Amino acid sequence: MPSPLISASELANLLRERSNVRLLDVRWRLDVPEGRPAYLDGHLPGAVYVDLDNELARRDDPRRGRHPLPAREQLQDAARRWGIDDGDTVVAYDDVQSVAAARAWWTLTRSGLTDVRVLDGGLRAWVAAQLPLDTGDVLPPRGNVVLGDIDEDVTDIDEVEDWPWKGVLLDVRAPERYRGEVEPIDPVAGHIPGAVNLPTTAHVVAGKFRSPDEIRARFAAAGITDSSAVAAYCGSGVAATHTALAGAIAGIDVTVYPGSWSQWSHARGRLVAVGQTPAAEVSRL
């Protein structure tokens, strides 16, 4: 399979050669969830702004977590607003280690698009290559893409509870959140019992993804073999898609638990572990 990544120089060449390349600016982070002002100040030529909170998530029921998956109709309507037609090549980017761009890549590929890539290094790599930026908003003609339901490479709160007994469950948050030492957002600190900590930031260096061999080595250090069934969760289902992207780069299939800790920590009766090992000290919510 071709790499889901594309470099700045490769993207510049692709844009010169083809007219059916759609660029998605997915600038979002926890402390600045609204990336539109930065987008308006400067973005890749032709890029459309993507609202992660409201287009790549459905936030109608807090019991489902902070960023549950969007309904098919919602995502399809957004993709058409972005100007995507069937057969287009889609390239997503952001400005922080491709975490938000990975969410766009994951939701669109799992919805049926076959050519979705992530700009490796994001906006900073584009600027470092001395490539041009545009300002202002981009409103493309409405697209006609048809998307399907997301029903593969995804697991729910009941299935993920049993995952450590059939494979490897990765908690991809920062180590201090995994250990339960701090929890800045959700009501309870800790991790799902049996989960192994592999922060998704381990897969990038200087804003770009590590090589496939380096990523495989980090997965192997977490106990993942060629036969392992792998699932990942994070705080709210965004960073877990970044680990799924890292897995795709390395040839490892990663199932995503979209509800992640934001759903698990609000669900009564679930078990919570704290400490640096998968099940160091367990209590019930």
Side-chain angles (χ1 to χ4, degrees):
M1 293 293 291
S3 173
L5 299 180
I6 187 169
S7 70
S9 61
E10 289 170 336
L11 177 56
N13 289 334
L14 189 65
L15 290 169
R16 284 192 290 267
E17 295 168 358
R18 292 171 50 185
S19 61
N20 66 331
V21 181
R22 304 291 170 249
L23 303 181
L24 306 182
D25 186 308
V26 200
R27 269 181 269 189
W28 173 94
R29 63 178 196 254
L30 283 174
D31 58 332
V32 187
E34 178 53 76
R36 182 178 287 278
Y39 160 83
L40 294 174
D41 286 341
H43 54 77
L44 270 65
V48 177
Y49 177 69
V50 174
D51 184 337
L52 186 148
D53 278 339
N54 297 298
E55 293 181 312
L56 296 177
R58 176 173 56 182
R59 308 183 71 180
D60 56 350
D61 186 349
R63 293 172 299 180
R64 288 157 42 90
R66 289 195 306 279
H67 291 107
L69 296 181
R72 184 193 67 80
E73 295 81 4
Q74 174 191 344
L75 184 61
Q76 179 174 277
D77 183 68
R80 290 178 176 181
R81 182 188 74 78
W82 305 332
I84 299 176
D85 292 329
D86 285 322
D88 283 351
T89 292
V90 179
V91 179
Y93 71 90
D94 58 44
D95 60 351
V96 183
Q97 299 184 334
S98 298
V99 173
R103 173 75 175 211
W105 167 83
W106 190 87
T107 53
L108 290 173
T109 56
R110 271 54 182 184
S111 297
L113 293 191
T114 58
D115 192 4
V116 185
R117 311 182 207 180
V118 170
L119 174 59
D120 197 18
L123 180 68
R124 298 177 188 184
W126 184 267
V127 172
Q130 299 184 328
L131 292 163
L133 296 177
D134 281 352
T135 59
D137 211 351
V138 174
L139 301 173
R142 189 169 178 82
N144 62 18
V145 68
V146 176
L147 299 180
D149 293 319
I150 300 175
D151 54 14
E152 293 185 358
D153 299 323
V154 62
T155 188
D156 62 21
I157 191 171
D158 294 320
E159 294 171 342
V160 81
E161 183 173 29
D162 295 330
W163 201 280
W165 282 266
K166 67 178 183 179
V168 179
L169 176 61
L170 296 177
D171 182 317
V172 307
R173 298 173 299 161
E176 61 271 19
R177 291 185 72 186
Y178 170 83
R179 294 192 298 264
E181 296 169 1
V182 297
E183 180 45 64
I185 303 172
D186 293 310
V188 178
H191 59 266
I192 298 174
V196 177
N197 189 215
L198 179 59
T200 199
T201 51
H203 305 305
V204 294
V205 59
K208 294 185 178 181
F209 279 92
R210 296 182 183 274
S211 71
D213 285 344
E214 290 176 312
I215 294 173
R216 279 191 290 269
R218 281 159 175 76
F219 274 88
I224 294 167
T225 66
D226 290 341
S227 61
S228 297
V230 185
Y233 74 92
C234 55
S236 67
V238 176
T241 61
H242 186 268
T243 291
L245 175 57
I249 295 165
I252 299 169
D253 292 330
V254 178
T255 294
V256 170
Y257 168 36
S260 286
W261 190 249
S262 62
Q263 181 184 41
W264 185 275
S265 62
H266 283 82
R268 290 188 177 183
R270 302 291 174 175
L271 299 177
V272 173
V274 296
Q276 61 183 4
T277 58
E281 181 180 337
V282 178
S283 61
R284 189 176 297 278
L285 290 172

